[in-house]
Amino acid sequence: MISTPMTEKLLAIELSFEEAEKLRSATSDGKGMRKKPRSKAAIQKEQEVLETKTKSDINLLIEEYHAILPRSSAKAIGSIYARYSSRFQSSIVDQVRELLARAVTEGIFVPQEMVFYDLAVRGWKDRRPGLSQLRLAIDNKEFKTLLLFSTSRLYRRSYKAMEFVEERLVGRGIRAIFVSSNLDTEDGENWRSMLQMLGVFDESMVHMMAAQIQSAHVGLLKKGMVFTTLPLGFTGEDVAGELTRLKRPRQRIIVDLLTAAWVVRIFRWYLVDGLSIDAIARELNDDPEAPAPPKSINETWTRVSARRALTNEAYRGLLAYGRKKSVWSHEKDYVRQIERDEPIEVVHFEHLQLIPDDCWYEVQRLIGLEVSRSGRKAEGSDRKKRPRLLRGLIHCPEHGRQMVAGGVNGRVLLCPLCRAFKADKRPLYTHLNRELALRVTCGGFASLFEPNADLVDTIAAACERRARSVAQPDTESRQRLIERIEGLRIRIDFNRRDPGETEAERQETHLLLRELRHSHNEALAALSEYEAAQNQQIAVPSEQEVISMLDELRATLLDARDAEDDQQLRLARRLIEDLMSGNILLYQQGERRQGHGWLQGRVQVKVVAPIVKRLTGVSIEDSPDDRIDLVLDYKKPKLIDEQAETAKRLWDQGLLHVEIARQLNRNPPYVTKLIQHWHDSRDLPRPNNKKRRKSLKNKQQRTPLYKQIANHVQELMEAGHSNLEIARQTKTSDTNVAEAIRWWHKTRELPAPTAADRRNQKLRRAMSMLDGGALLTDVANELDYSARGLKLALDKHAEDNGDLKMDFRSRRGNAKSRASANGKALPADSDTA
């Protein structure tokens, strides 16, 4: 993962949410936790319980009604239909009670099997279980009178209710009674005008109620209150003293710390780690701790739900109401969600912002660049032979269209329009092998990041200029961005309202809208970066940080040549898209004969701007002077070129020639030849291998002997042994001993002791032993000296330091009595002189 300011920002936000959640969990009693969505089985069970209870209550009512009006006393056989679509499903029983009471008054007997009802079904819908059973009973002429509560219980649309009553009921001699409005189809001809008027009134009431509900929801939104299902990352907090119409505590919208960390993680996976939307859904489903998506009855993440999370503006604190409107399709009998030109209301809550604006807009830009997923997915070995990384990036300049897959198993890229010409007149005669195109393109773009003094200085200077420009805001640039955003918005609205009349025009408008939305997101991202930069301090990177960034980007492209992981390929694709200024245009080279020609790709690339953005987190204007004309020759490389590339890559990693030769299954002289060939082919001076070896950290294949024995040698040296004695004990030469001592001190950044230092250390030890009462001969034997040699050395040491010489005769004393001259007892194991 390449570390950038945007990466560090998202990681810091994610960590802050996790730490805050740990603190809240440690201090709370567990109340106010986010509720998990109900499972599909739980919802089905609730529906079954409700259905059973409703049926039981209706049966009790029917028994009471039959006791009051038996079949023998009735004038006619009737039927009942009731419906309710809101949460108050108990009103079905209330409706049936009212209808049965009217049936008793009219002397109508309603059999138990003639009671039809629909639970939680909209009045717009035509295909309802209860209504379908009612139609079947009408067709079979099983009753003579139908009792309904109101026209809205039959249909929400007045013309649909009028059609049903006129054609299905009255046209077949069936009487209809609407209890709430006291409307009866047997009351002459006035019932038609009354029914039509009541239907229109009910329909208008629905629209009026909808407007009132919308107004109430907007009021709650402006106050930051919960009024609908909240996106992942948010929850509700009870507000004291405020209740809903269901007598439950009103709640305000707050950040749910536990799930907010997962929201940031989703954005980090996509933006930083390069995971695809499908891969993000799989990661969430694989983790048992991951929260379920809102409104998911099976608690499973899909591509749609993961993409919805990545594009939700609520995560940048922008809560909207009425982005879409419901439109009922009578032909298909379902509701379609159609996006409005503008939401009904949009409110920004700074305290609810989870994702910074620059990160959010960057995600939208990348989603806009996502290539379509059409075509059969390659498997196994075909994955390398048919890479998708360059899809849509390579174009034919003659016909202005992108190259498409073709040939055997789709392993080459070609221009279909060029194939329409004769071979000798084709602008592009040669086909482009997809595997070769990937290797050459990634290698060519990677060569742009080879560190050199000029490039490093240019990038550092650009970062410094950007830091100074942030300190001095450029209001003109900001105004230009705002005007560009407004102009793009107007064009998007115009093309969305007028997509065209023919299918070709609509398809062209669709492609244009996609391009306009991408440009709009880019401009919004640039504006958000500009405004975010005014509130932060931009640090100018050091030379080493610039070099590290270049190395990471170069490695990303080189690894993509052989990568099979989608994550690596996506990161490389994004990097190439950032570098390109236009498309890769192909031109025919060489002879127009099979095996003798090749294609050459040409593209302008911008190197400085993308790197500055990754280093500072702020974009800079792309200067034409900083662009480079990159030429890519799509020719199959020679064997020595491929081997030279491999050898150079290992050589850059600091491996010795003999180690590179072992990996290539060659001898070391051939490796030297490969390295020289790599530099010669690029007109670069050949490297000096001796100088390179000196700069390497590991100059040998195996750990040298002096490094292996260094610790033991140091211990023996501190014990006062000479190099020859240490060499004797370690069974090596005194040269290795001296080298071990030097290396031991060098690795610890300590000065290596000289011969004089070691001699003075040994004499100081001898003086310490003599002061302790030891005999001269014993000290001499201990320190590998002769008695006379040690005496002379101590005399010389005393003379050099201006001290008095020791009187060894007066110190000797009576050795046989084992007493020294200074009155100290000799050691028990000391030999007599």
Side-chain angles (χ1 to χ4, degrees):
M1 180 177 66
I2 299 176
S3 177
T4 64
M6 199 171 291
T7 304
E8 297 172 359
K9 189 185 300 183
L10 288 176
L11 287 173
I13 296 173
E14 182 181 344
L15 183 62
S16 67
F17 282 136
E18 291 177 348
E19 293 296 331
E21 170 59 23
K22 290 178 182 178
L23 180 61
R24 188 203 64 79
S25 300
T27 57
S28 69
D29 56 359
K31 295 182 179 179
M33 296 296 291
R34 183 183 179 90
K35 295 180 180 179
K36 290 187 176 181
R38 294 176 299 168
S39 64
K40 190 174 183 179
I43 294 175
Q44 186 175 359
K45 186 176 180 179
E46 290 179 9
Q47 291 174 344
E48 291 174 356
V49 171
L50 178 62
E51 178 75 24
T52 302
K53 185 178 183 303
T54 304
K55 188 174 183 180
S56 176
D57 292 343
I58 290 176
N59 289 338
L60 292 175
L61 287 175
I62 291 292
E63 291 178 3
E64 295 176 5
Y65 160 71
H66 286 174
I68 298 173
L69 181 65
R71 190 184 194 102
S72 58
S73 303
K75 299 178 183 179
I77 303 298
S79 176
I80 284 175
Y81 176 74
R83 179 193 64 79
Y84 219 96
S85 60
S86 74
R87 67 188 69 182
F88 302 106
Q89 302 300 334
S90 59
S91 68
I92 290 289
V93 179
D94 297 333
Q95 289 183 47
V96 172
R97 183 182 294 108
E98 293 289 332
L99 296 174
L100 288 175
R102 180 62 180 268
V104 171
T105 303
E106 297 289 339
I108 300 171
F109 181 83
V110 180
Q112 184 175 358
E113 63 273 12
M114 287 295 105
V115 177
F116 307 104
Y117 57 88
D118 284 305
L119 297 174
V121 183
R122 293 178 130 198
W124 306 97
K125 195 172 181 63
D126 189 60
R127 290 191 290 270
R128 310 174 220 158
L131 187 61
S132 298
Q133 294 172 12
L134 175 63
R135 289 196 189 99
L136 183 60
I138 293 172
D139 294 339
N140 295 334
K141 301 179 180 180
E142 297 180 11
F143 61 89
K144 286 294 183 179
T145 303
L146 176 64
L147 292 98
L148 302 109
F149 192 75
S150 66
T151 57
S152 62
R153 299 306 91 198
L154 187 60
Y155 279 103
R156 284 293 189 186
R157 292 289 187 183
S158 58
Y159 77 91
K160 296 284 285 185
M162 189 69 187
E163 178 186 7
F164 187 89
V165 174
E166 181 75 44
E167 296 181 2
R168 281 194 173 269
L169 299 179
V170 177
R172 300 185 183 188
I174 298 176
R175 177 187 178 188
I177 301 175
F178 295 90
V179 175
S180 65
S181 54
N182 199 23
L183 177 63
D184 192 339
T185 56
E186 286 191 348
D187 295 341
E189 295 295 329
N190 293 331
W191 68 268
R192 288 184 174 85
S193 57
M194 288 294 295
L195 177 62
Q196 188 172 9
M197 183 181 66
L198 290 173
V200 171
F201 178 76
D202 287 340
E203 186 175 346
S204 63
M205 282 296 296
V206 170
H207 292 295
M208 290 173 61
M209 290 176 61
Q212 292 174 1
I213 292 172
Q214 286 180 353
S215 177
H217 285 175
V218 169
L220 292 173
L221 172 63
K222 290 181 177 180
K223 295 178 182 178
M225 297 294 183
V226 177
F227 61 91
T228 185
T229 303
L230 295 175
L232 185 71
F234 303 104
T235 188
E237 181 183 52
D238 292 350
V239 179
E242 295 191 31
L243 301 176
T244 67
R245 66 189 180 98
L246 296 180
K247 305 305 180 182
R248 296 174 182 172
R250 179 73 67 191
Q251 291 188 323
R252 68 167 60 90
I253 305 172
I254 62 170
V255 174
D256 184 4
L257 300 174
L258 180 61
T259 56
W262 282 95
V263 171
V264 180
R265 192 170 297 135
I266 290 172
F267 275 81
R268 176 174 60 81
W269 279 340
Y270 184 81
L271 181 59
V272 179
D273 298 342
L275 267 64
S276 65
I277 299 178
D278 289 315
I280 290 173
R282 288 191 289 268
E283 288 288 337
L284 292 168
N285 291 327
D286 186 60
D287 195 330
E289 300 295 328
K295 296 184 179 180
S296 173
I297 58 177
N298 54 11
E299 301 185 14
T300 302
W301 284 89
T302 63
R303 174 182 173 83
V304 174
S305 56
R307 192 180 192 278
R308 187 180 294 120
L310 288 169
T311 56
N312 197 336
E313 283 191 310
Y315 296 134
R316 64 186 190 95
L318 203 65
L319 271 63
Y321 177 76
R323 289 189 180 278
K324 296 182 179 180
K325 61 180 178 180
S326 299
V327 177
W328 186 264
S329 174
H330 294 283
E331 294 181 357
K332 299 182 179 179
D333 202 33
Y334 65 79
V335 172
R336 291 187 298 119
Q337 294 288 324
I338 298 178
E339 188 171 355
R340 289 187 171 95
D341 292 338
E342 291 291 338
I344 295 176
E345 188 67 37
V346 179
V347 183
H348 182 264
F349 296 98
E350 188 174 348
H351 68 283
L352 297 180
Q353 183 165 2
L354 304 183
I355 305 298
D357 286 342
D358 53 347
C359 297
W360 192 87
Y361 281 117
E362 182 66 14
V363 168
Q364 310 317 304
R365 186 185 71 84
L366 294 175
I367 290 177
L369 291 173
E370 291 273 0
V371 295
S372 62
R373 301 188 299 163
S374 60
R376 182 171 60 87
K377 185 177 180 180
E379 298 179 358
S381 59
D382 285 345
R383 192 174 181 85
K384 284 189 174 182
K385 295 178 180 179
R386 296 188 295 165
R388 300 166 67 91
L389 186 146
L390 301 178
R391 184 174 183 178
L393 300 182
I394 303 178
H395 284 63
C396 169
E398 182 69 23
H399 300 108
R401 61 161 299 162
Q402 69 182 40
M403 305 288 282
V404 299
V408 179
N409 295 326
R411 295 179 181 177
V412 297
L413 294 176
L414 52 86
C415 174
L417 297 181
C418 288
R419 301 295 298 171
F421 293 87
K422 291 185 178 180
D424 58 342
K425 295 183 179 179
R426 291 176 189 166
L428 298 180
Y429 173 83
T430 307
H431 294 169
L432 179 59
N433 182 275
R434 295 172 68 179
E435 185 178 5
L436 173 65
L438 175 65
R439 299 190 66 83
V440 173
T441 303
C442 289
F445 277 90
S447 65
L448 301 172
F449 298 115
E450 292 181 2
N452 59 74
D454 292 339
L455 179 59
V456 172
D457 292 343
T458 301
I459 294 172
C463 292
E464 188 173 355
R465 287 196 304 270
R466 192 67 182 96
R468 287 199 304 268
S469 66
V470 169
Q472 301 174 353
D474 185 3
T475 55
E476 293 183 2
S477 298
R478 182 177 182 277
Q479 187 61 32
R480 285 198 300 270
L481 280 173
I482 293 175
E483 292 174 357
R484 174 172 169 76
I485 291 170
E486 182 62 21
L488 288 169
R489 188 189 64 79
I490 293 173
R491 291 183 64 189
I492 290 172
D493 292 342
F494 173 78
N495 285 279
R496 189 167 55 187
R497 289 193 301 267
D498 185 18
E501 298 180 357
T502 65
E503 183 61 31
E505 290 177 346
R506 286 192 289 270
Q507 181 65 21
E508 185 178 351
T509 303
H510 173 73
L511 296 176
L512 177 60
L513 278 172
R514 181 176 179 179
E515 183 179 348
L516 289 174
R517 287 192 179 103
H518 173 62
S519 301
H520 188 248
N521 285 332
E522 281 188 333
L524 287 172
L527 180 61
S528 65
E529 285 178 5
Y530 175 87
E531 293 176 346
Q534 308 307 316
N535 302 322
Q536 66 182 15
Q537 186 70 26
I538 297 181
V540 179
S542 64
E543 179 180 346
Q544 187 57 43
E545 289 175 335
V546 175
I547 294 175
S548 298
M549 176 62 70
L550 292 173
D551 290 338
E552 289 179 1
L553 296 177
R554 184 166 176 266
T556 299
L557 291 169
L558 293 179
D559 293 342
R561 296 182 302 182
D562 300 310
E564 297 185 11
D565 182 27
D566 287 337
Q567 183 177 350
Q568 288 181 296
L569 295 174
R570 287 173 64 82
L571 290 174
R573 166 85 183 205
R574 290 180 183 178
L575 178 55
I576 291 176
E577 288 175 340
D578 289 343
L579 294 172
M580 290 173 51
S581 180
N583 297 308
I584 301 176
L585 304 180
L586 293 181
Y587 297 91
Q588 183 66 43
Q589 304 292 318
E591 300 181 37
R592 293 177 178 272
R593 290 193 300 152
Q594 187 174 359
H596 289 75
W598 75 92
L599 295 176
Q600 185 180 82
R602 303 171 192 171
V603 62
Q604 274 198 335
V605 293
K606 44 189 179 183
V607 180
V608 177
I611 298 178
V612 170
K613 182 177 180 180
R614 281 172 166 79
L615 287 169
T616 64
V618 182
S619 300
I620 63 172
E621 292 186 4
D622 178 31
S623 173
D625 297 335
D626 295 333
R627 295 180 185 176
I628 301 173
D629 292 324
L630 181 63
V631 178
L632 304 168
D633 284 309
Y634 294 108
K635 299 170 64 176
K636 189 174 182 180
K638 298 179 182 178
L639 179 60
I640 190 172
D641 293 330
E642 292 181 345
Q643 292 177 337
E645 282 289 341
T646 304
K648 181 61 168 59
R649 188 177 71 254
L650 299 174
W651 194 78
D652 290 337
Q653 296 174 6
L655 272 65
L656 297 170
H657 280 210
V658 65
E659 294 174 325
I660 299 174
R662 190 180 300 113
Q663 293 195 26
L664 296 179
N665 198 22
R666 294 283 184 170
N667 52 38
Y670 187 72
V671 173
T672 303
K673 179 180 177 182
L674 291 176
I675 299 300
Q676 292 176 349
H677 174 78
W678 191 93
H679 287 81
D680 291 344
S681 61
R682 290 162 176 78
D683 295 328
L684 298 174
R686 293 183 175 183
N688 188 317
N689 291 327
K690 290 184 178 180
K691 291 183 178 180
R692 174 181 179 267
R693 188 180 182 90
K694 289 181 180 180
S695 64
L696 295 178
K697 186 176 181 180
N698 296 319
K699 301 178 178 61
Q700 296 176 334
Q701 301 179 64
R702 294 176 295 180
T703 304
L705 179 61
Y706 71 86
K707 293 183 180 180
Q708 298 177 24
I709 64 174
N711 291 332
H712 188 203
V713 167
Q714 179 66 19
E715 293 175 359
L716 294 174
M717 187 198 75
E718 291 176 351
H721 296 293
S722 64
N723 283 10
L724 289 175
E725 178 59 26
I726 296 173
R728 228 175 357 256
Q729 293 190 29
T730 56
K731 298 180 181 180
T732 184
S733 64
D734 58 337
T735 304
N736 278 340
V737 171
E739 187 64 28
I741 294 172
R742 283 195 296 271
W743 182 81
W744 190 93
H745 286 81
K746 182 179 179 181
T747 55
R748 290 160 177 78
E749 298 182 354
L750 298 174
T754 62
D757 294 336
R758 293 178 62 186
R759 182 168 58 253
N760 290 334
Q761 181 184 4
K762 185 178 290 190
L763 293 177
R764 284 193 296 270
R765 184 183 175 199
M767 294 170 65
S768 176
M769 294 174 66
L770 290 171
D771 290 342
L775 296 176
L776 178 64
T777 54
D778 295 335
V779 176
N781 291 333
E782 177 71 20
L783 300 180
D784 293 332
Y785 271 92
S786 65
R788 178 175 174 76
L790 180 58
K791 177 182 179 302
L792 294 174
L794 290 172
D795 291 344
K796 181 69 169 57
H797 180 74
E799 182 181 348
D800 292 341
N801 292 282
D803 298 333
L804 296 175
K805 295 180 181 180
M806 286 187 178
D807 187 358
F808 292 101
R809 290 187 178 183
S810 63
R811 292 186 72 261
R812 181 177 181 83
N814 189 351
K816 291 183 179 181
S817 66
R818 305 199 59 77
S820 62
N822 56 9
K824 294 182 180 179
L826 295 176
D829 57 348
S830 177
D831 294 335
T832 57

